[in-house]
Amino acid sequence: MSLDFERLYGNHHGWLLAWVNWRLGNAADAADLAHDAFVRLLTRPCHFDNAQQARTYLRKMANGMCIDLWRRRNLEQAWLEALATQPEPTTSSAEEQAIVLEALGEIDAMLRELPPKAAHAFVMAVACEMTDKEVADVLKVSSRMVRKYVAQAMLCCMKLEARMAAGLPEAPASTAGP
């Protein structure tokens, strides 16, 4: 661990922890996210010219992590609500639930990387079982464009499935540095 990182941690961890706690309203989650932010900096070091630049970067990164946490919790809550409506014999083990939640998180991340119309077309066509014409009417595009959007999303699904089958980590999200 470099002296620069130790100084960065010492100068900004308390501030970041307070900011994330204010944002989340939960000290335990705030401690986890503040810790994770500095772990990210260990794995992808950045150089900052001044304290303000460091805090701006840390706040931006932590804000994204808060959004990811909320999104993951919303997915988990939706899954648990859907699971609660199922008859008892179809309930799954905690391990199966964790696998499903991880897959849902991966699919959510994949859909967010697609252009919005492609993601919407895919969800309407696959999850809602709408016809190309119905999707086209909603999105105000041609049926041919709907097929193109769905094919684009399916290709991403196949890549995600191949990564998961190979045990590879999630594809890196595009993030901007300082």
Side-chain angles (χ1 to χ4, degrees), residues 3 89 101 114 139 158:
L3 186 59
L101 288 173
L114 288 171
L139 296 178
M158 290 170 43

Side-chain angles (χ1 to χ4, degrees), residues 35-157:
H35 171 78
D36 290 348
F38 282 97
V39 168
R40 279 191 189 181
L41 282 176
L42 272 175
T43 59
R44 286 181 265 151
C46 294
H47 172 73
F48 305 106
D49 294 329
N50 56 52
Q52 184 58 41
Q53 189 182 39
R55 285 191 176 189
T56 299
Y57 182 80
L58 286 167
R59 184 175 53 246
K60 184 177 179 181
M61 181 175 33
N63 188 56
M65 293 169 80
C66 288
I67 291 168
D68 288 345
L69 175 68
W70 291 326
R71 184 176 288 123
R72 188 170 51 254
R73 293 225 172 120
N74 285 340
L75 271 173
E76 289 172 5
Q77 186 59 40
W79 168 249
L80 291 174
E81 288 171 5
L83 198 58
T85 65
Q86 298 298 310
E88 193 63 33
T90 61
T91 58
S92 52
S93 70
E95 181 182 355
E96 289 170 328
Q97 289 180 29
I99 291 168
V100 168
L101 288 173
E102 181 180 351
L104 286 172
E106 295 276 348
I107 292 166
D108 178 57
M110 183 265 310
L111 288 172
R112 283 185 281 115
E113 292 292 321
L114 288 171
K117 282 190 176 183
H120 287 110
F122 177 74
V123 170
M124 287 187 276
V126 175
C128 300
E129 298 180 346
M130 293 171 66
T131 66
D132 288 351
K133 173 131 180 50
E134 291 170 331
V135 175
D137 291 343
V138 171
L139 296 178
K140 299 187 182 349
V141 297
S142 68
S143 293
R144 182 180 171 130
M145 198 68 209
V146 169
R147 285 191 297 279
K148 180 180 175 182
Y149 287 148
V150 172
Q152 181 182 11
M154 291 298 288
L155 178 61
C156 290
C157 285

